[in-house]
Amino acid sequence: MSTNGSSQGPLWEVFTQEKSGAPHEHAGSVHAPDAELALQNARDVYSRRNEACSIWVVPSEFITATAPADQDAFFDPSNDKIYRFPQHYSTPRGVKDL
Amino acid sequence: MSYDLDQQTQTALFQYLLRLADDRLILGHRLSEWCGHGPILEEDIALSNFALDFIGQAEALLRLAGEVEDKGRSEDDLAYKRDWQDYHCCQLVERPKGDFGFTMARQFFFDAYDFPMWEALTTSSFEPLAAIASKSVKEAKYHLRHSGEWVLRLGDGTKESHDRIQTSVDSLWRYTGELFETDAVHDHLFSQGIAICLSGIEKEWKEIVLPHLTRATLTPPSEEGMVMVSGTRYGAHSEHLGHLLTEMQVLPRAFPDAKW
Amino acid sequence: MTVVNDSDTPEQLEAFQARIDAGETIEPKDWMPAQYRKQLVRMISQHAHSEIVGMLPEGNWLTRAPSLRRKKILLAKIQDEGGHGLYLYCAAETLGVDRTELIDQLHAGKAKYSQIFNYPSLNWADIGVIGWLVDGAAIVNQTMLAKTSYGPYSRAMIRICKEENFHKKQGYELLAQMMEGTKDQQAMVQDAVNRWWWPSLMMFGPSDKDSPNSKVLLKWKVKRKTNDELRQRFINMTVPQANAIGVKLPDPDLQFDEKTKNWNFGEINWDEFWAVVKGHGPCNVERLEARRAAHDEGRWVREAAEAYAEKHSGIKKAA
């Protein structure tokens, strides 16, 4: 769909990896008409200070997110599963390296 | 700092470093004119990055030139207190910034020369220059990718963009020849392993530029009857350089004792 | 200003206020009062426009920066401002407006931006003063906004504050160096400070008693301090810095109050402030013309990129 040049192009979400081995984290967004320019724009906007060694861009419209109304159903059920954490378990005195 | 160079090499190298530096200083200046006026906010930021890269390269080259000359001139002395006659840039970079298509076509032509040139200079026998090349070649590689992508988009975009950038390609073509001109200065340094083979760079330039223009649905103009611009590095500048330097040098010229 | 919108029920408003009072952060998809959304779009887009228009007075000296180091610093700083405008537009976009729409409003003269950028940058010391006073004032404001209740705005502010660290410092360094320089240089600094001091105090906005939006913005923790509090903090910070480099602030009434530990200051010319806000500053017309020209001259470029993306299904993969 053409917008006669008034548009700033679609929005892309930018994820940057600070150093090799680290996870890619959301850095922000850029506008760009296509994927290659989105990558280049993300580079200029979000790694001006050497903050990235790898960049992902994803069209914002392709991101699916939970809604605030989902919060109870999605996340509360995991907050009483105390047995998933190591602190839940007791160890006989003197036993190491468990 | 002084380097152990014979007289002829020292003179030639000083000259050569100024040529490299001046191209980048003037091009950086032209690019900086876009700051705050780009066609898209993201591209405004990208053009500033280009300008920063070129001004940074020019600074390093001028500093080195000052050291090679060994008369105590700093990079700022060389940038701000040299007359236009002593500038050694080519006319391609002197052209006023024009529209975005003109800027990108110029940039693409320059980058397609700049990248292979820096790549070759990484093996220069003059180590301080090879060190600058190692850093600059990475910048140049990115520049070529960016300007190349824009040439594609403008060439193969709308009819208007195609016509506009084709016009710029046509008008800029005659300024590209002198990028590859050699003379005694260059030949001497080449024989010392300091400078690089410009005819080799010219070949690479064509291998980059010609297929890319085709991909962008653009055509290089016929060179028949075209008089290529030449000799700018030896003082035959365009009128534009004087204006540019008048602006750039105004403060150090007006207040010669001031430090900034 | 009343905050009750037809569609916002008292229960919703109360629950929202409870979240704010509990110190929670509001995210884009959360329920929020229509007025909260509206105020945020107004504030964030004004802030974004200010960054973009703010590139112009500094850009005026880019090609005349007197050393290569200063040229690089200035270019990097203006570029940052473009980046900051971009972060802020993105933050505004999370509230359901499009950047195109916001930019159109700016170009149509319907959106505001900081009045400060409608003053001209006339001598090189202006570049230092813009860093020291204008960015200095902005940082005071932005540090407060980093704690704003709206998540995307807060995150943009945190990033901006981090990056702007050097903006003020480079300006002050530039001025300190000029003050140690020749008489001409010192005169340039004084001239620049004389012209920018009062407008930079106006950057905090009208006095609390004349600031219609302040009350509700504080209640919702969009703002955490009043205009006058921030202005006073800025003045207290700045006076010793002026003294340290030997530049005189153009206010004969500046006086330290031992009791309050504040620097008392003279009357701000609010007529001038409102005139500039309403479009009658020295550069309002030029600034908007420059922005419109960039946009109009860029139209064919954006069209080309759009057409190319359509032909090459650009959204799907990198070339």
Side-chain angles (χ1 to χ4, degrees), chain A residues 31 34 36 40 43-44, chain B residues 42 46 49 142 145-146 153:
Chain A
H31 285 269
D34 58 56
E36 170 67 20
Q40 296 196 10
R43 178 248 192 202
D44 288 324
Chain B
E42 281 81 355
N49 262 355
Y142 184 82
R145 175 165 169 176
H146 189 77
R153 278 156 188 75

Side-chain angles (χ1 to χ4, degrees), chain C residues 162-174:
Chain C
K162 207 167 111 192
E163 296 189 348
E164 285 211 343
N165 264 333
F166 92 86
H167 291 190
K168 181 178 177 184
K169 257 184 124 169
Q170 64 83 30
Y172 191 67
E173 183 208 73
L174 186 160

Side-chain angles (χ1 to χ4, degrees), chain A residues 8 11 29-37 39-45 47-48, chain B residues 39-43 45-47 49-50 53 138-139 142 145-147 149-150 153:
Chain A
Q8 305 283 312
L11 197 63
S29 334
V30 289
H31 285 269
D34 58 56
E36 170 67 20
L37 285 185
L39 263 188
Q40 296 196 10
N41 291 345
R43 178 248 192 202
D44 288 324
V45 173
S47 68
R48 295 199 300 284
Chain B
I40 311 170
L41 183 49
E42 281 81 355
E43 189 55 28
I45 295 169
L47 288 168
N49 262 355
F50 272 51
D53 287 346
K138 297 176 194 162
E139 295 171 350
Y142 184 82
R145 175 165 169 176
H146 189 77
S147 60
E149 290 293 339
W150 270 113
R153 278 156 188 75

Side-chain angles (χ1 to χ4, degrees), chain B residues 127-201:
Chain B
E127 275 172 27
L129 180 57
I132 294 175
S134 300
K135 182 173 178 293
S136 303
V137 70
K138 297 176 194 162
E139 295 171 350
K141 187 176 181 183
Y142 184 82
H143 298 162
L144 179 58
R145 175 165 169 176
H146 189 77
S147 60
E149 290 293 339
W150 270 113
V151 166
L152 285 182
R153 278 156 188 75
L154 299 180
D156 192 16
T158 61
K159 177 162 191 317
E160 180 183 7
S161 71
H162 176 274
D163 292 351
R164 278 188 187 237
I165 192 166
Q166 181 66 59
T167 306
S168 298
V169 164
D170 293 346
S171 78
L172 283 164
W173 196 260
R174 66 193 204 95
Y175 299 100
T176 58
E178 62 177 355
L179 291 172
F180 313 105
E181 262 172 14
T182 60
D183 64 346
V185 165
H186 194 274
D187 291 344
H188 174 70
L189 294 173
F190 181 52
S191 74
Q192 305 285 305
I194 294 176
I196 38 128
C197 167
L198 277 173
S199 60
I201 302 298

